[in-house]
Amino acid sequence: MKFKLIYENHGNFGLHIGDYFLYLKYVLQSLGHTADIEHAFCPGETNIILEYFNDKFTDKVEKEWTKDTRIIVIATEFLTNGTFNNIYQEEAATRDKADQNQHKEFWQMRYNNFVKLLPKFNAIWHVADQPATAYKHYFSNTFVDYMPHCFTSDFHTVKHRPDTDKDI
């Protein structure tokens, strides 16, 4: 199978998810699949998208999605009371204004866009087992599963020399 790992929704370069996508690419390839890391959403392909659906990216997916497009979402957030991560400070005075993670509006926007695109998702893979159970319950019309992490030799970037080659 051929996969497109999309980082467009994570900024121009997707630097903060680069390692994760490289790892996922290697895992998929070790299973005999083809996986390309791409900037832009790929209509007509199987897109793997790490969740972060802002308004701009959500609108683009809605406009460009076709019947033969498949979307697998990697979820990382906790479901809490009809939103994501409703575990932050309630009082505006205690919030760090620069930290969007402390703003309920930010998480509500992400959740609303996630739900808006949900009918287009072929699967949701969650990175943690306990939240995956909640996703299965709340999004029962979509295939949801826990995505375990495993070793892949291609991601093994530091290779130690044999002890015989070391001067210790």
Side-chain angles (χ1 to χ4, degrees):
M1 192 166 188
K2 186 167 102 178
F3 297 95
K4 300 291 186 180
L5 310 176
I6 308 303
Y7 65 87
E8 177 179 8
N9 55 325
H10 287 274
N12 287 336
F13 306 108
L15 293 177
H16 56 288
I17 63 168
D19 284 345
Y20 193 79
F21 268 15
L22 193 57
Y23 165 78
L24 186 56
K25 173 185 171 75
Y26 291 151
V27 168
L28 291 168
Q29 289 174 340
S30 75
L31 296 170
H33 302 292
T34 301
D36 302 315
I37 299 173
E38 302 280 351
H39 175 259
F41 179 69
C42 297
E45 302 281 353
T46 300
N47 294 258
I48 297 179
I49 303 170
L50 186 63
E51 188 281 320
Y52 174 53
F53 296 104
N54 59 30
D55 295 334
K56 181 179 177 183
F57 186 70
T58 299
D59 291 344
K60 180 178 181 178
V61 170
E62 284 193 309
K63 288 176 188 163
E64 294 185 5
W65 184 87
T66 60
K67 291 188 306 188
D68 57 341
T69 302
R70 296 178 50 82
I71 298 175
I72 300 169
V73 173
I74 299 174
T76 60
E77 309 305 342
F78 291 95
L79 290 172
T80 50
N81 304 319
T83 188
F84 289 139
N85 302 326
N86 191 12
I87 53 179
Y88 298 100
Q89 290 95 354
E90 296 290 327
E91 298 296 321
T94 64
R95 291 191 213 163
D96 178 354
K97 290 180 183 171
D99 183 3
Q100 65 187 8
N101 293 314
Q102 293 186 21
H103 294 267
K104 292 194 311 187
E105 301 80 18
F106 170 75
W107 292 110
Q108 192 65 56
M109 175 270 302
R110 284 181 58 175
Y111 177 82
N112 291 345
N113 286 328
F114 183 93
V115 171
K116 187 177 189 181
L117 290 176
L118 190 62
K120 296 179 176 15
F121 298 166
N122 296 91
I124 300 169
W125 297 343
H126 204 291
V127 297
D129 56 348
Q130 289 180 334
T133 302
Y135 276 69
K136 285 178 186 180
H137 174 75
Y138 286 102
F139 307 123
S140 59
N141 290 332
T142 303
F143 176 81
V144 177
D145 209 351
Y146 163 58
M147 186 177 81
H149 293 75
C150 59
F151 174 80
T152 176
S153 59
D154 291 332
F155 203 61
H156 188 142
T157 56
V158 176
K159 297 186 174 138
H160 294 281
R161 294 180 299 181
D163 285 344
T164 56
D165 291 349
K166 295 177 185 175
D167 182 19
I168 324 180

